[in-house]
């Protein structure tokens, strides 16, 4: 089963996980990363690399985060691949621990 990026990534979008992915399955949006479920090989190397603890195996996604399973699949079809770590956004620390961030998810780059 593929892995899923959940709500804790919104706004923080730290890309440590991207560097370790052996199949380049991460996709980048304006303020969030997703995993392409068709590309993910379920190796789990990204999980310990995520500073926000935002990545879960699909079967372990918390109940209140289940919508992110479909959201990752949907956005992976639209967003470009990201294959290398990037510097953290200037405001990444401000987003850490913010509850209910789904309303701040930007799906387009405009």
């Amino acid at each position: 089963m593929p892995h899923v990026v959940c709500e804790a990534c919104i706004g923080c979008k730290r890309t440590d996980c991207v560097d370790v992915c052996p199949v380049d399955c991460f996709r980048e949006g304006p303020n969030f990363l997703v995993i392409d479920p068709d590309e993910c090989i379920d190796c789990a190397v990204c999980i310990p690399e995520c500073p926000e603890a935002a990545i879960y195996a699909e079967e372990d996604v918390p109940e209140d985060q289940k919508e992110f399973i479909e959201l990752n699949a949907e956005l992976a079809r639209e967003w470009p691949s990201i294959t290398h770590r990037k510097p953290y956004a200037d405001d990444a620390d401000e987003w850490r621990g913010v509850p209910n961030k789904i309303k701040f998810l930007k799906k387009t780059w405009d």
Side-chain angles (χ1 to χ4, degrees), residues 34-91:
V34 296
I35 294 174
D36 184 333
D38 295 330
E39 299 292 326
C40 181
I41 59 170
D42 196 27
C43 68
V45 296
C46 57
I47 292 175
E49 296 302 317
C50 179
E52 305 307 325
I55 303 173
Y56 297 88
E58 185 175 325
E59 62 270 14
D60 296 332
V61 171
E63 205 53 47
D64 67 338
Q65 302 282 301
K66 294 288 187 187
E67 67 188 297
F68 283 89
I69 296 171
E70 180 54 37
L71 196 56
N72 273 240
E74 170 194 330
L75 296 173
R77 291 188 293 269
E78 300 172 19
W79 288 352
S81 179
I82 178 173
T83 59
H84 297 290
R85 182 179 177 184
K86 293 182 176 182
Y88 298 159
D90 292 340
D91 64 346

Side-chain angles (χ1 to χ4, degrees), residues 9 11-18 33 50-52 86 88-89 92-94 96:
C9 181
C12 297
K13 197 178 95 169
R14 301 175 196 269
T15 55
D16 304 60
C17 52
V18 172
L33 298 174
C50 179
E52 305 307 325
K86 293 182 176 182
Y88 298 159
D93 287 338
E94 295 171 30
R96 181 172 268 161

